[in-house]
Amino acid sequence: RSGENPAPLPRPASYLERKEDLLFDLDRELVPDVHHIVVDNVHRLPMGFLRDELAASPACLGILAGIEELPDDARKERLDRLREVIEGDTRLFNRISTSINAAIDVAKRQVRWNYKTAVPAYYPRTNSMNLLLPLILTDSPTPDVALVVELQKSGNYQGQTIVTMAQAYRDARLLCRPYIDWLSPASI
């Protein structure tokens, strides 16, 4: 009908409120929640990494023996036992934590070489932006997991958790197709 104004189009979705949501600032401190990463998310760590790091513990190696072939419920039971052992043994916890921190240092060096290494990701549950950093924990040239990094009100970053490569790809895809080689369907 002529003379009527059409209804206005909806505004495009806006995920970004500040540039810090897109770029990792190497001048800020990154404080990882190592307990959450190592204990609460042991199920996301690569089995090869766990076997290497826990090789000095016969109890842990027994828990990990054949775990990949178990049905989900039996695997979960074993991983729950592994959590208890790691949390109760400071030496084992510190060994894994040291390796995680070393992988984080490598990821920060990669960001220094190429700022696009830190991939922005949207987390719908909290309606927040995070950055994903690739962590290489095994001998593989590709990352094993991604560290979820969030800028805190203090001005520092917190390494909140780790996610699998499939989870990282999904969360990054909520914004746009990631243009970085470490986070692609081939890496999952």
Side-chain angles (χ1 to χ4, degrees), residues 158-179:
Q158 182 177 17
Q160 301 275 8
T161 190
I162 56 170
V163 293
T164 64
M165 296 306 293
Q167 291 169 315
Y169 185 73
R170 182 193 64 227
D171 291 348
R173 291 272 307 168
L174 290 175
L175 292 178
C176 65
R177 181 176 173 260
Y179 288 101

Side-chain angles (χ1 to χ4, degrees), residues 33-61:
D33 185 348
V34 179
H35 183 273
H36 179 66
I37 292 167
V38 171
V39 176
D40 299 335
N41 286 304
V42 71
H43 62 285
R44 293 180 180 163
L45 293 169
M47 287 299 142
F49 169 76
L50 290 172
R51 285 188 179 97
D52 288 347
E53 295 301 315
L54 302 171
S57 168
C60 290
L61 290 180

